[in-house]
Amino acid sequence: MAAVQWRSRGRNYEAELQRCRPEVALVEFGDYHPLKPIMVTDTKTRHGARKGSTSSSSSSSSSVPPDPLSSMLDGTDPLSMFAAASASETPAISRSASAGDLGRKRKEKEEEAVGADFEPWSSKRGEILARFTTTEKLSINLFMGSDRGKAPSPGSSAVSEKVRTRLEELDDLEEGSQRELLNLSQQDYANRIEELNQSLKEAWASDQKVKALKIVIQCSKLLSDTSVIQFYPSKFVLITDILDTFGQLVYDRIWSMCSDPRPLPDSFTVDDVNDTAKETCLNWFFKIASIRELLPRLYVEAAILKCNRFLNKSGIQETLPRLTAMIKGIGDPLVAAYTRAYLCRVGVEVAPHLKDSLNQNFFDLLGTFRQIGGESVRKQLALQRVEAPEYLTLYSPAISWILQCIAYRAPEPLLTEMMERCKKLGNNALLLNSVMRAFRPEFVADRATDFIGMIKDCDEAGFPKHLLFGSLGRSLACADPPESERLTILNEAWKVITKVRSPRDYVNCAEIWVEFTCRHFTKREVNTILADIIKHMTPDRAFEDAYSQLQSVIRKILTYFHDFSVLFSMERFLPFLDMFQKDSVRVEVCRSIMEIFIKHQLDLTRDPVILNAMLHICKTMHDSVNALTLEDERRSLALLIIGFIRMVSFGRDFEQQLSFCVEARATFCNLEPVLVQLIHTVNQLAMETRRVMRGSHSRKTAAFVRACAAYSFITIPSLSSIFSRLSLYLLSGQVALANQCLSQADAFLKAAVSILPEVPRSISVEGKLRSSESFLLDFTNNFLAMLLVVPDHPEHGVLYLVRGLLNMVQDYTWEDNSDAKVRVYVSALPLLAAMGQETYVYSVPKVDSNETLYGGDPKFLSEINKLCETLIGQILDHLKVLGRDEQGTRRQGALAFSLFGVLLAHGDLRNNKLSQLAVNLWNLSHKHGHCEPRVSVSSRPRLTLAETHFSKTSLPVIIELFSHLAVFCPQISY
């Protein structure tokens, strides 16, 4: 291809804009709306339609192309197909459902009958296991299985032999078929119990029902052992899990016997149960009745209590009182209390409406309270070296559960009755504590003053009063007492709390009452509470063992105090924060404060109290960052600090705002996203100054915006990300230019060009290496667009920034087989063509661009044309190189078509050489058939536009181009 002589065509941008505007046409809103769907009725009758039916569909008409996705599905949605298939298979699935699935469904339904507001036992399980632990060694008896192998007696029937064998196996447990394991740790003990649970399931699955029953009996016997009394509540939790499993297995077994051929409904009656299932159920109760010892017989029968439904309607109603009475035969009050708790647990699941049995269970429990102070209990505690307060806390889970079952949806008078019974027992602290925790907080709050009086009369030796005030505080945190009593309640409670000597007990109770104080009082009372906590927790650095409680105090204060000017005006709030000496905890507390600040601080602030406190908190987070900090942690901390910076505004005091940014830059220098935000803030500050001055700066504001530019120019080099630096150099240069800071804008742009060689060839995106070419191309296009309005420096020659950018692009090491460099050259041609116009397409107010500086000087236009010719020569040389390789033909066609588009839009095709080059580029782009016809056709409006601008001498070129379009795209009419 011969060298060409470039000449830009003259442009009248205003006239072109007017011609390109769409024509305005009036539209009847009743006939058309852009959001209204197109509804087309299909008049074809569907095959197999019912007689007299009308079939219609929303398929496309002939003028609307069909939806390719819908056509691939033949009108059938795959999700609908799966749903239909699932619906058709539902009966079969229901018929073949396993007993376990049925059991789970029934259990869910029963839980719904109790109500979602009822706290299930499963939610208490983890707390009990974590609370009641021991370091003492434990023992357990493991079932070893039966070694009997008697031959059947002559003449005996197979049925009688089977019965005798099962009875002998059942007695085998009491004849020494056990192995005692001693010196087990708590974890070993829990593992052994889990092994027994698995053995139970395996024995049941292998149809060894008697073996499964013997395992359950053995585990139930373990509940009579109180040799390590501190561990008893946790032992109860572990073993009753096995009982629950056994009870569910028996129930599901009998249920499955009734579900053939169709499932038994959930609301079944005794008449729906067949004789085989009844006989099996009765057999289980007979087996359990043959257990000799009271405790395992009682526990196992309670485990299968629900199976009474298969025998008669009133089975559960008759059995519950009998089992309740049987518990009176248990001598140990702790064992009896937990047995009653298990019976209540089963009873509330299978018959929550039988409140009388639950109440009787509790009243019987009250009768055993006198045993707690008896001689046998005192001897046992002395033997195990357990103090009375610790022993009483062992009853807490059992009594709390029984009272929860009784108090569930109970009327308010029941609480009054319970309070009277507590008074008759001398205000037993353990019972009073459980009553306050079991009943609805609204009921307790209404009687808060009465409860305080009862707490005062309690004997503190057995159960500390601060625990009672803690339970009362939990209720008052959920419900409001009468307004006139609130201050009295707080004073009476705090008189007791502040006298607690143990820092651990003190902070546990104080943490609860902080919420009550925050809900109903002002910062004065909250500040007093904080001062008291500091007083108690500072000696001997007691706060180091109470970080979780202190964090809870902070969270509760932040929940109710969203006005940070009020919060930080508390004298003791920041000293309270100073108690968090552990780095990780201190950062977590600061993070929680920042999250609340960002969420609830809606208005911009300049309050010095807030700013100083928040700067201190943000600095604490920033200083926690080190070389080992994870990137996600850095990012989250930076986002919180950025949220604070965005909320700071000094109004029209721009200098103070800039001073704040200078201080923040020094404070948060290790977090790059924060520095980026500060640069954006300062740039925004400069533009706000321009807006206030309406573009005409005074001497003072001009100096200020130059100071803003200097801030950005100093800060940007400290960023490690090359891409952030490039973007911010360009953005800051644009801001400087908009504020008529020409030398500063020039410095920003030169700095951006100077660091281009530092851009790596690949970057890491989400952990994967990817080419950086796309970023570089986007940046250079934006950079070129800005250069149109940047005036040349009088000391650096014509187009020095454009030449500097192109030289850097020329020297940059691009990837092999890359066209990026040439694409930059193609992008530079429209810029140079726009620079040659008499009036630029856009400009910056009060900034003289090259159109004004040069005024259409022929020497300036000549420099532009020479540079364009040089670029076109480079592009054509690259096209020749691509043509030598068969694999480069596609790239050659795409690049040729891009250059063709530039020539068509910006070149003066009256120049014969330039017009011939355009034709050659068109032919080259379609030579190997790689150019898309739609892309080719899209150039037709440009050709039409060019035809209206060019003289008759260029018409042959236009005609030739249209003839080529007709050859390559015959389906389009021209």
Side-chain angles (χ1 to χ4, degrees):
M1 297 181 183
V4 298
Q5 183 178 0
W6 172 267
R7 183 178 178 184
S8 303
R9 69 182 180 90
R11 305 287 294 272
N12 187 336
Y13 295 113
E14 186 63 30
E16 291 181 18
L17 181 61
Q18 292 296 332
R19 282 194 297 270
C20 292
R21 284 179 177 169
E23 297 181 2
V24 179
L26 296 177
V27 177
E28 294 290 340
F29 286 103
D31 299 333
Y32 170 77
H33 189 276
L35 300 181
K36 183 178 180 181
I38 301 176
M39 300 297 294
V40 182
T41 303
D42 187 1
T43 57
K44 296 181 181 179
T45 304
R46 295 188 178 183
H47 181 67
R50 291 182 300 171
K51 185 176 180 180
S53 65
T54 305
S55 175
S56 63
S57 65
S58 59
S59 60
S60 302
S61 64
S62 58
S63 61
V64 180
D67 181 8
L69 298 179
S70 301
S71 62
M72 292 297 292
L73 298 173
D74 289 331
T76 306
D77 180 9
L79 298 180
S80 302
M81 291 169 56
F82 289 135
S86 176
S88 64
E89 294 173 4
T90 299
I93 294 174
S94 299
R95 288 192 297 268
S96 62
S98 64
D101 294 337
L102 293 173
R104 282 193 296 272
K105 292 178 181 178
R106 288 194 302 274
K107 189 172 183 180
E108 291 173 359
K109 187 168 184 179
E110 288 162 4
E111 290 177 353
E112 291 175 0
V114 173
D117 55 339
F118 184 82
E119 185 180 4
W121 174 260
S122 57
S123 65
K124 301 177 180 292
R125 183 180 182 278
E127 178 186 354
I128 295 173
L129 291 174
R131 179 181 174 189
F132 297 97
T133 59
T134 182
T135 57
E136 300 288 334
K137 296 300 180 181
L138 305 166
S139 62
I140 188 173
N141 294 324
L142 284 182
F143 171 66
M144 300 301 295
S146 176
D147 296 329
R148 295 177 179 267
K150 297 181 179 180
S153 303
S156 63
S157 65
V159 175
S160 61
E161 178 62 28
K162 183 178 181 180
V163 172
R164 182 168 58 236
T165 302
R166 287 190 173 180
L167 290 175
E168 290 173 350
E169 290 177 349
L170 192 57
D171 291 337
D172 198 28
L173 177 65
E174 301 179 11
E175 296 179 5
S177 60
Q178 306 177 57
R179 177 167 60 93
E180 186 174 15
L181 297 179
L182 303 175
N183 298 323
L184 297 177
S185 66
Q186 178 180 326
Q187 186 59 46
D188 293 337
Y189 189 92
N191 294 338
R192 296 298 182 183
I193 295 295
E194 181 59 31
E195 289 176 9
L196 286 175
N197 201 357
Q198 293 299 323
S199 299
L200 168 65
K201 296 177 181 178
E202 293 170 2
W204 190 273
S206 60
D207 204 26
Q208 300 181 52
K209 305 296 189 297
V210 174
K211 180 180 178 182
L213 178 59
K214 291 163 76 172
I215 293 174
V216 175
I217 294 172
Q218 175 194 2
C219 292
S220 302
K221 284 187 175 184
L222 295 175
L223 290 173
S224 63
D225 177 22
T226 57
S227 58
V228 184
I229 202 167
Q230 306 98 318
F231 185 65
Y232 191 84
S234 295
K235 180 195 292 188
F236 171 80
V237 169
L238 295 172
I239 292 176
T240 52
D241 286 347
I242 297 180
L243 290 167
D244 292 341
T245 301
F246 175 74
Q248 193 63 45
L249 289 173
V250 174
Y251 188 84
D252 291 343
R253 165 68 175 159
I254 301 172
W255 176 281
S256 62
M257 296 175 68
C258 303
S259 300
D260 190 17
R262 59 181 182 177
L264 195 66
D266 291 330
S267 58
F268 70 92
T269 61
V270 178
D271 299 333
D272 298 324
V273 182
N274 55 46
D275 293 337
T276 304
K278 288 181 180 179
E279 181 181 354
T280 303
C281 182
L282 202 58
N283 186 31
W284 275 110
F285 281 105
F286 287 156
K287 289 178 182 178
I288 294 170
S290 66
I291 300 174
R292 298 174 185 175
E293 297 185 24
L294 172 62
L295 190 65
R297 183 169 72 250
L298 202 156
Y299 266 109
V300 178
E301 185 173 356
I304 66 167
L305 178 66
K306 188 165 52 173
C307 295
N308 280 283
R309 293 183 61 193
F310 298 109
L311 298 178
N312 53 68
K313 294 181 179 179
S314 59
I316 296 176
Q317 189 172 358
E318 296 171 356
T319 304
L320 271 176
R322 178 173 58 82
L323 294 178
T324 301
M326 288 172 60
I327 298 176
K328 294 180 180 180
I330 301 175
D332 191 311
L334 183 63
V335 176
Y338 276 92
T339 308
R340 296 183 191 280
Y342 185 70
L343 187 59
C344 285
R345 185 172 131 200
V346 176
V348 80
E349 289 181 3
V350 301
H353 57 284
L354 299 178
K355 290 285 188 177
D356 293 338
S357 297
L358 298 176
N359 293 344
Q360 185 59 46
N361 210 342
F362 177 71
F363 297 147
D364 291 344
L365 175 63
L366 296 182
T368 64
F369 267 59
R370 297 181 181 87
Q371 291 180 262
I372 296 178
E375 183 66 25
S376 60
V377 173
R378 285 201 300 269
K379 289 181 179 180
Q380 185 182 20
L381 297 182
L383 182 63
Q384 300 192 34
R385 298 178 181 178
V386 176
E387 299 293 334
E390 183 182 0
Y391 174 70
L392 289 177
T393 59
L394 300 178
Y395 286 86
S396 180
I399 297 177
S400 297
W401 176 257
I402 295 172
L403 277 170
Q404 178 183 327
C405 297
I406 294 173
Y408 178 65
R409 293 182 179 175
E412 193 170 358
L414 182 60
L415 176 58
T416 305
E417 181 182 353
M418 290 294 178
M419 293 174 69
E420 293 300 324
R421 287 183 176 270
C422 288
K423 291 178 182 178
K424 290 179 181 179
L425 289 173
N427 289 330
N428 183 281
L430 176 63
L431 179 60
L432 185 60
N433 182 66
S434 299
V435 167
M436 287 189 293
R437 301 191 70 169
F439 280 87
R440 293 175 56 184
E442 295 82 1
F443 297 167
V444 177
D446 290 340
R447 296 165 174 80
T449 305
D450 296 335
F451 275 111
I452 289 178
M454 296 174 67
I455 293 172
K456 287 181 177 180
D457 296 337
C458 285
D459 182 11
E460 194 170 6
F463 201 90
K465 289 184 180 180
H466 70 268
L467 295 180
L468 298 175
F469 275 106
S471 297
L472 179 61
R474 288 189 182 92
S475 297
L476 298 181
C478 302
D480 300 334
E483 186 174 357
S484 60
E485 301 175 5
R486 292 173 184 172
L487 183 58
T488 303
I489 291 171
L490 179 61
N491 289 331
E492 292 296 332
W494 207 257
K495 286 179 184 178
V496 176
I497 297 171
T498 193
K499 293 179 182 178
V500 178
R501 294 182 179 181
S502 169
R504 180 179 179 183
D505 294 337
Y506 168 83
V507 75
N508 285 333
C509 195
E511 172 220 340
I512 298 171
W513 281 87
V514 163
E515 184 165 5
F516 175 76
T517 309
C518 293
R519 279 169 64 93
H520 303 296
F521 298 97
T522 63
K523 70 173 186 177
R524 176 175 171 270
E525 289 76 12
V526 176
N527 190 61
T528 303
I529 297 292
L530 292 180
D532 196 60
I533 295 176
I534 295 172
K535 176 183 176 182
H536 279 78
M537 302 306 294
T538 302
D540 299 327
R541 301 179 66 88
F543 54 78
E544 293 181 346
D545 299 323
Y547 281 140
S548 59
Q549 292 88 344
L550 297 178
Q551 282 183 272
S552 178
V553 171
I554 290 292
R555 284 194 296 268
K556 290 174 181 177
I557 293 175
L558 293 175
T559 302
Y560 294 97
F561 286 86
H562 296 156
D563 188 344
F564 281 81
S565 60
V566 174
L567 182 66
F568 291 129
S569 64
M570 295 183 195
E571 295 179 1
R572 312 311 297 172
F573 184 76
L574 290 180
F576 186 87
L577 293 181
D578 292 337
M579 287 197 295
F580 296 98
Q581 298 291 320
K582 189 177 180 180
D583 290 342
S584 59
V585 179
R586 184 169 65 251
V587 172
E588 189 63 31
V589 171
C590 293
R591 183 197 295 272
S592 62
I593 296 174
M594 288 302 305
E595 289 173 352
I596 297 297
F597 177 82
I598 293 172
K599 181 178 180 180
H600 295 284
Q601 184 71 28
L602 303 179
D603 300 327
L604 301 178
T605 182
R606 60 184 298 174
D607 189 333
V609 175
I610 295 179
L611 295 185
N612 291 332
M614 296 306 293
L615 276 174
H616 172 71
I617 291 172
C618 291
K619 187 177 187 303
T620 300
M621 294 193 300
H622 169 270
D623 293 345
S624 68
V625 176
N626 52 45
L628 300 179
T629 305
L630 298 177
E631 189 61 32
D632 288 343
E633 178 73 7
R634 287 173 174 267
R635 188 181 302 111
S636 62
L637 293 178
L639 288 175
L640 293 175
I641 297 175
I642 288 171
F644 161 63
I645 292 173
R646 289 175 175 172
M647 296 306 299
V648 177
S649 175
F650 290 87
R652 290 292 183 90
D653 192 349
F654 295 153
E655 293 182 354
Q656 185 66 29
Q657 185 84 26
L658 182 60
S659 299
F660 169 79
C661 292
V662 171
E663 182 182 358
R665 179 178 61 185
T667 305
F668 310 124
C669 57
N670 290 333
L671 291 174
E672 188 163 307
V674 178
L675 297 179
V676 172
Q677 176 61 38
L678 289 172
I679 295 171
H680 285 303
T681 301
V682 171
N683 284 334
Q684 185 178 3
L685 188 61
M687 294 305 295
E688 182 67 15
T689 305
R690 177 180 181 272
R691 185 190 66 81
V692 171
M693 300 302 295
R694 299 181 180 179
S696 300
H697 285 295
S698 64
R699 180 178 298 179
K700 182 178 180 180
T701 58
F704 177 76
V705 294
R706 286 196 294 270
C708 292
Y711 178 97
S712 300
F713 194 77
I714 293 172
T715 309
I716 292 175
S718 63
L719 304 178
S720 60
S721 172
I722 183 70
F723 308 108
S724 298
R725 279 186 278 161
L726 284 172
S727 300
L728 290 173
Y729 272 134
L730 180 59
L731 178 62
S732 301
Q734 293 169 346
V735 171
L737 189 65
N739 284 281
Q740 301 115 51
C741 301
L742 300 184
S743 60
Q744 285 78 10
D746 205 54
F748 280 119
L749 298 180
K750 286 195 293 186
V753 172
S754 66
I755 64 173
L756 275 178
E758 301 177 16
V759 177
R761 295 174 60 180
S762 59
I763 56 176
S764 177
V765 179
E766 296 180 354
K768 297 180 180 179
L769 287 178
R770 297 187 179 179
S771 174
S772 61
E773 283 188 359
S774 59
F775 170 82
L776 266 180
L777 289 175
D778 290 340
F779 173 78
T780 51
N781 287 336
N782 292 333
F783 196 89
L784 289 169
M786 181 188 175
L787 291 182
L788 178 64
V789 294
V790 178
D792 284 339
H793 196 284
E795 298 179 359
H796 294 91
V798 179
L799 304 177
Y800 81 101
L801 282 175
V802 178
R803 297 180 187 275
L805 176 64
L806 294 177
N807 290 335
M808 286 296 179
V809 170
Q810 175 72 28
D811 297 336
Y812 184 76
T813 305
W814 300 92
E815 292 187 4
D816 298 335
N817 301 322
S818 171
D819 301 327
K821 178 174 68 174
V822 180
R823 291 194 175 278
V824 174
Y825 294 161
V826 174
S827 300
L829 290 175
L831 166 68
L832 296 171
M835 283 184 167
Q837 305 300 319
E838 294 183 2
T839 303
Y840 286 178
V841 64
Y842 51 85
S843 60
V844 177
K846 301 185 183 302
V847 175
D848 293 334
S849 302
N850 286 338
E851 59 176 333
T852 304
L853 294 181
Y854 293 106
D857 187 1
K859 293 182 178 180
F860 174 67
L861 298 179
S862 175
E863 290 292 333
I864 292 177
N865 293 336
K866 288 179 181 178
L867 188 54
C868 289
E869 293 167 5
T870 302
L871 294 177
I872 293 176
Q874 294 280 353
I875 298 170
L876 296 180
D877 291 340
H878 185 71
L879 289 174
K880 290 180 182 179
V881 174
L882 293 177
R884 298 170 186 167
D885 187 3
E886 294 182 359
Q887 298 180 354
T889 54
R890 179 180 295 275
R891 293 161 52 199
Q892 183 190 50
L895 193 58
F897 195 80
S898 298
L899 182 56
F900 164 75
V902 171
L903 296 181
L904 195 63
H906 303 282
D908 187 355
L909 294 187
R910 291 176 296 184
N911 185 318
N912 292 331
K913 291 186 178 181
L914 200 60
S915 61
Q916 186 59 46
L917 176 61
V919 173
N920 294 339
L921 289 171
W922 175 271
N923 293 331
L924 182 61
S925 63
H926 291 75
K927 181 178 180 180
H928 300 284
H930 294 314
C931 190
E932 291 290 337
R934 293 182 181 179
V935 179
S936 302
V937 173
S938 66
S939 64
R940 184 171 181 265
R942 298 181 187 178
L943 294 172
T944 306
L945 183 62
E947 183 180 4
T948 61
H949 282 276
F950 299 152
S951 62
K952 294 183 179 180
T953 57
S954 60
L955 284 179
V957 177
I958 301 298
I959 295 172
E960 184 176 359
L961 291 176
F962 274 110
S963 66
H964 284 291
L965 279 173
V967 171
F968 286 101
C969 306
Q971 71 276 22
I972 305 299
S973 59
Y974 297 96

